[in-house]
Amino acid sequence: VENYASYEFDFKLQPFVAYNSQKGENWFKSYCDQHTEKYLDIDATYYFNKNINIVVGFNVINNREMIKRQRF
């Protein structure tokens, strides 16, 4: 599942928010059948002109899911 929203303001700023959730099969079948990756992506782009822009991004990862994946 992937959801995202973006809007460009008149003053050349474009914020972006995305939520991503992925499930997949573990090929080695060592610990679990599926792993889950969930994260929230927050970005902002500022357009100086048609040739130059700045992008700032931040990812928030669900720590509980990351701990589950690291166990052996």
Side-chain angles (χ1 to χ4, degrees):
V1 175
E2 184 175 342
N3 298 320
Y4 63 92
S6 177
Y7 183 78
E8 186 173 349
F9 293 105
D10 291 338
F11 52 93
K12 300 180 183 180
L13 179 68
Q14 182 179 10
F16 176 82
V17 176
Y19 173 75
N20 194 349
S21 175
Q22 299 176 353
K23 287 186 179 181
E25 212 176 291
N26 188 355
W27 289 24
F28 298 110
K29 306 285 184 189
S30 60
Y31 177 67
C32 62
D33 290 341
Q34 293 183 348
H35 68 277
T36 303
E37 182 175 320
K38 296 179 182 178
Y39 65 88
L40 179 68
D41 186 22
I42 302 170
D43 295 337
T45 304
Y46 183 76
Y47 299 98
F48 284 104
N49 57 29
K50 65 179 181 177
N51 296 323
I52 300 173
N53 59 7
I54 292 179
V55 179
V56 177
F58 183 72
N59 287 339
V60 180
I61 299 174
N62 187 350
N63 290 332
R64 191 171 9 153
E65 297 296 329
M66 290 295 289
I67 292 170
K68 285 181 185 178
R69 286 195 318 188
Q70 291 176 357
R71 292 183 187 164
F72 295 103

